[in-house]
Amino acid sequence: MELAFDNYFKREYSMLSKLTGPIMVSLDITQKCNLKCVHCFNNSGRSVPDELSDKEIIDVANQIAELHPHNVCLCGGETLCRENIFDIIGTLRGNVTKISMVSNGYKMDFETAKRLVDSGVSHIQISLDGKDCYQHDTFRGVKGSFNRAVNAIKNVKVCGVNRLATSLVPNKLNYKTVDEYIDLCYELGVNDVRMMPFLPSGRGRSIGRNLLLSNTEYFYFVEKVKSKKREYANRMNVEWGDPLDHMRRMPFNAEYGLQTYCMEVKSNGDITVTTYLPIVVGNCKKYTLKTYWDNGYDLIWKNKEIVKYIDKIQCIYDLDDFEPAPYSGEKIVFDIVDGIKP
Amino acid sequence: MKFRINKNDFKIRDEQDGTLSLMTLSTSQLIYLNTTARLLIQQEGIVDFEDFLKQLKFDGVEEVELRSDYQDLIYQLEALGIVEIVEEEPLTEHGCMLVGEKEYREVSKFILENGNNKFNFIDMTYPDNYSLQNLRARQFNGEEFNIIKLKDGKIIADVIIAVAPFNTGISVVSFSAIVMDKSIEENDVENIIKELLEYSSGLFADKYNKIRFYYTDEKQDYILNILKNIGFKKTCTLEKEICKNIDLTLYDKMM
């Protein structure tokens, strides 16, 4: 039976072992952020000292264009804190299938939203962490951020973006009213409501951890989400996602020769394996993304030296114990082109 | 819960209609609060939340609403550094609890070490089903929940409750496994199972009204008699339902 499954899997997914590049690239365009979210897993706020310059990030965008991924997701930090974001989008446009971005919405007035959509950004995700100012502003640390996020959602919707999503991290302030939150998203015309557990990483490890839900609170939260998922079926996607899913799925896929789905690039050019762990496998100031892809990144999840770190994360609280602590400034550094190991 | 107000870290100003504005000194965050919050931040020293609530009386406000509002406020102020929670509700060292991210590893180990003990109701044909990853994946997706019984901080029993996906309207949950620690005495088994199922009923009572288990002749009669004593009644037998020749019997109990 196992052989039959092996053969089936390899036959059906054989195309995924012949890729010229990743399907998706996730690019952190800055670490700078104008909010002070208590749960921020990547400790955003100030730029990192070695953040890519304007010229360097355009070079990275060209490297991404060379790979022709189907999706590039611009992340941060707060993406709109990167001043030359439109130059980055302009470089990618026409060379990648789809450009998406994540934002807290604070700086997304109508003109900005229109410019983003007209520039070719087809999927926009706005972080909205509650049904009202109390829940959202407290969690995000800046008064008025809820109203700005809601206005951003409205602006983006009016400008006709292809796909509009919100994201919420459940915590003690908002979990009881997640049903009202989901109703609000529907009224605002959101297409996808994305939720995933609060990670004890970055600021979530320290400042925010008192807002982590207990097991029973998560249970009631997820039961409400399930009800709403059913209620809004075919009208709006309600997703409860597991942040650790890729850490199980990707090594499994790689054993069957399926190439890596996504390349992760940080704001200083570091190329990582997963956004949640400080495992660096190269830097695009040194070699191009294509060079890294052709020299082992395509099957990075089969690399036993690296997977041994991934295997330490079996549940969310293992992030708490991981050494070095993610986003603490310390990293495990490889270079898969030069064959350098930590 | 016990908490303390960090009086050195903020300044308040009285505003109109009894409201006040509060600015944190360390982070310069500004929030606006009403009279109910004033009562809280005036507290001195370490405050017991229950004692605090007892002092309060607001016409037309139910105690449960007051409790919920003040808890929310305490957590909000804690996020700002104004409140320090000195003592949370203690994690139970005895009694039952729903398993979460912190417990999967322990629970998986418990099941794999105790799966073949005498007083169990579990199919250990494929032990990998109870690996940490598989337990977690099923619970994360809301298919199955582990409820454990603790004694002196140690797991002594686990029940696994399966739930129909996506709230299809089915009002029944079923338990797919009960595992007992090897140290459990025969006399204690019935009470432990009863406690676990009562705790589970409390969790699921909102949407479900019945709990079920599936029995085949392959399972030992010992556990069946215990479950009958607890109140499970035979609903029906599906003849030759498993592997073409094994009958499957359903036993149900209203929650």
Side-chain angles (χ1 to χ4, degrees):
Chain A
M1 174 135 167
E2 283 187 17
L3 182 60
F5 174 79
D6 280 6
N7 290 339
Y8 164 81
F9 200 86
K10 284 175 183 166
R11 188 180 64 241
E12 291 299 310
Y13 294 97
S14 60
M15 45 156 311
L16 293 174
S17 50
K18 296 169 189 162
L19 303 175
T20 54
I23 302 290
M24 176 172 163
V25 175
S26 171
L27 173 64
D28 285 357
I29 59 176
T30 183
Q31 190 76 352
K32 207 188 296 182
C33 188
N34 52 354
L35 296 188
K36 296 180 254 186
C37 308
V38 297
H39 70 300
C40 185
F41 75 84
N42 61 4
N43 245 334
S44 296
R46 295 184 183 171
S47 306
V48 293
D50 55 346
E51 180 160 295
L52 294 168
S53 67
D54 287 355
K55 186 172 175 303
E56 284 169 337
I57 202 162
I58 296 301
D59 181 55
V60 172
N62 277 314
Q63 290 183 33
I64 294 173
E66 190 187 358
L67 292 169
H68 298 290
H70 285 298
N71 183 19
V72 175
C73 186
L74 304 179
C75 313
E78 166 50 35
T79 45
L80 291 174
C81 283
R82 180 90 210 190
E83 289 190 8
N84 69 335
I85 181 174
F86 290 101
D87 295 332
I88 298 168
I89 294 169
T91 307
L92 293 170
R93 187 181 179 169
N95 292 303
V96 309
T97 310
K98 181 174 93 176
I99 303 170
S100 28
M101 67 177 278
V102 178
S103 171
N104 58 39
Y106 199 91
K107 298 174 94 173
M108 202 177 291
D109 56 14
F110 181 79
E111 285 72 30
T112 307
K114 187 159 189 333
R115 198 174 167 198
L116 285 168
V117 175
D118 289 348
S119 302
V121 178
S122 59
H123 287 53
I124 296 180
Q125 178 178 298
I126 306 286
S127 305
L128 188 69
D129 280 297
K131 69 169 183 69
D132 56 31
C133 305
Y134 158 67
Q135 292 178 359
H136 179 97
D137 292 1
T138 308
F139 200 55
R140 298 233 144 214
V142 171
K143 187 172 161 61
S145 52
F146 175 79
N147 290 338
R148 293 278 190 131
V150 169
N151 282 338
I153 291 167
K154 289 176 180 170
N155 290 336
V156 163
K157 192 72 190 172
V158 162
C159 294
V161 74
N162 193 275
R163 201 91 192 152
L164 170 59
T166 56
S167 68
L168 173 137
V169 169
N171 60 79
K172 286 200 192 292
L173 301 170
N174 65 16
Y175 82 99
K176 288 181 193 170
T177 53
V178 66
D179 42 357
E180 293 171 55
Y181 167 85
I182 294 171
D183 291 339
L184 170 65
C185 291
Y186 185 73
E187 282 168 31
L188 292 170
V190 169
N191 302 115
D192 306 291
V193 177
R194 296 190 185 132
M195 294 167 281
M196 70 171 213
F198 193 146
L199 297 176
S201 182
R203 286 203 285 280
R205 202 177 191 179
S206 53
I207 304 169
R209 76 179 304 128
N210 291 316
L211 294 174
L212 286 163
L213 295 182
S214 69
N215 298 344
T216 329
E217 286 165 345
Y218 262 123
F219 172 80
Y220 286 119
F221 171 84
V222 173
E223 285 294 299
K224 284 197 176 197
V225 168
K226 280 160 64 177
S227 286
K228 284 298 181 181
K229 189 179 174 77
R230 186 159 181 264
E231 183 184 331
Y232 285 109
N234 302 320
R235 294 187 290 156
M236 179 173 74
N237 285 339
V238 177
E239 299 169 13
W240 171 238
D242 183 359
L244 307 188
D245 175 80
H246 65 292
M247 296 190 199
R248 304 284 83 80
R249 191 193 299 262
M250 294 299 155
F252 176 85
N253 289 353
E255 286 303 316
Y256 286 91
L258 271 61
Q259 288 165 299
T260 304
Y261 182 84
C262 178
M263 260 181 128
E264 305 259 352
V265 185
K266 295 294 163 196
S267 60
N268 61 355
D270 278 347
I271 301 165
T272 60
V273 181
T274 161
T275 196
Y276 300 119
L277 294 178
I279 306 171
V280 176
V281 297
N283 190 292
C284 43
K285 287 193 275 197
K286 200 170 174 195
Y287 299 108
T288 66
L289 292 173
K290 181 146 174 57
T291 304
Y292 281 105
W293 176 264
D294 292 339
N295 282 277
Y297 197 97
D298 63 330
L299 285 170
I300 198 76
W301 291 94
K302 208 175 172 181
N303 185 320
K304 292 199 181 338
E305 290 284 332
I306 287 163
V307 168
K308 78 177 185 205
Y309 291 103
I310 305 289
D311 281 345
K312 290 182 182 188
I313 308 297
Q314 297 288 326
C315 64
I316 282 167
Y317 283 95
D318 289 340
L319 289 170
D320 219 357
D321 297 328
F322 193 86
E323 301 245 335
Y327 297 99
S328 61
E330 291 179 47
K331 303 176 255 193
I332 301 166
V333 181
F334 295 81
D335 191 297
I336 55 173
V337 173
D338 288 342
I340 294 172
K341 295 175 189 174
Chain B
M1 186 208 308
K2 290 192 170 121
F3 63 92
R4 173 172 39 216
I5 307 294
N6 291 333
K7 298 231 184 234
N8 295 330
D9 198 35
F10 64 89
K11 290 272 189 236
I12 59 172
R13 188 178 78 179
D14 290 322
E15 309 294 352
Q16 295 175 16
D17 301 330
T19 58
L20 53 142
S21 56
L22 179 153
M23 176 167 275
T24 58
L25 298 178
S26 51
T27 55
S28 301
Q29 285 178 304
L30 181 63
I31 57 172
Y32 295 91
L33 301 167
N34 61 21
T35 315
T36 50
R38 185 193 296 273
L39 294 169
L40 186 79
I41 61 175
Q42 280 172 350
Q43 299 298 309
E44 297 282 348
I46 294 177
V47 182
D48 186 287
F49 182 63
E50 297 301 326
D51 293 341
F52 171 71
L53 277 187
K54 279 181 194 143
Q55 304 165 32
L56 305 173
K57 273 191 181 56
F58 287 97
D59 287 337
V61 180
E62 298 281 345
E63 191 263 341
V64 64
E65 202 180 322
L66 208 60
R67 175 183 292 275
S68 175
D69 285 352
Y70 268 108
Q71 271 180 343
D72 287 348
L73 181 60
I74 285 170
Y75 286 122
Q76 180 192 14
L77 296 178
E78 191 197 23
L80 296 169
I82 293 164
V83 163
E84 181 193 345
I85 294 179
V86 170
E87 191 183 291
E88 267 285 26
E89 300 299 331
L91 260 184
T92 180
E93 285 193 349
H94 301 278
C96 302
M97 67 176 276
L98 174 66
V99 160
E101 291 281 339
K102 285 185 182 170
E103 291 83 34
Y104 288 125
R105 188 169 275 112
E106 287 277 336
V107 173
S108 172
K109 188 164 169 255
F110 173 79
I111 294 174
L112 294 171
E113 284 176 359
N114 293 281
N116 293 313
N117 290 347
K118 184 180 171 190
F119 308 128
N120 284 349
F121 178 86
I122 187 168
D123 183 353
M124 289 298 286
T125 309
Y126 300 103
D128 196 46
N129 282 346
Y130 304 104
S131 68
L132 184 161
Q133 290 174 13
N134 284 325
L135 280 181
R136 182 181 177 276
R138 290 196 297 270
Q139 185 156 326
F140 191 94
N141 291 312
E143 296 165 14
E144 214 175 68
F145 297 90
N146 286 264
I147 291 104
I148 53 178
K149 175 141 173 71
L150 295 156
K151 188 177 174 187
D152 299 326
K154 196 170 156 280
I155 302 173
I156 59 168
D158 175 36
V159 67
I160 303 179
I161 306 281
V163 174
F166 298 124
N167 295 333
T168 46
I170 292 173
S171 306
V172 183
V173 298
S174 56
F175 66 83
S176 50
I178 296 176
V179 182
M180 297 276 167
D181 187 78
K182 49 175 84 73
S183 66
I184 297 295
E185 302 279 340
E186 187 167 351
N187 292 341
D188 296 329
V189 171
E190 185 171 322
N191 278 339
I192 290 173
I193 294 178
K194 207 169 160 189
E195 272 185 57
L196 283 167
L197 293 181
E198 270 175 17
Y199 184 91
S200 307
S201 298
L203 279 176
F204 293 104
D206 215 24
K207 290 204 182 79
Y208 305 94
N209 63 2
K210 213 191 294 187
I211 186 164
R212 171 174 295 163
F213 74 94
Y214 299 91
Y215 178 86
T216 69
D217 288 340
E218 300 294 312
K219 302 282 189 295
Q220 54 187 14
D221 288 333
Y222 170 80
I223 201 86
L224 178 62
N225 288 334
I226 286 184
L227 291 167
K228 281 180 180 173
N229 286 345
I230 291 174
F232 281 85
K233 292 187 171 46
K234 181 175 165 180
T235 302
C236 66
T237 296
L238 305 172
E239 289 182 10
K240 299 190 195 309
E241 186 82 358
I242 310 285
C243 298
K244 290 192 179 177
N245 64 350
I246 299 174
D247 294 345
L248 185 72
T249 305
L250 277 61
Y251 284 85
D252 291 337
K253 178 177 175 311
M254 301 304 286
M255 285 187 188

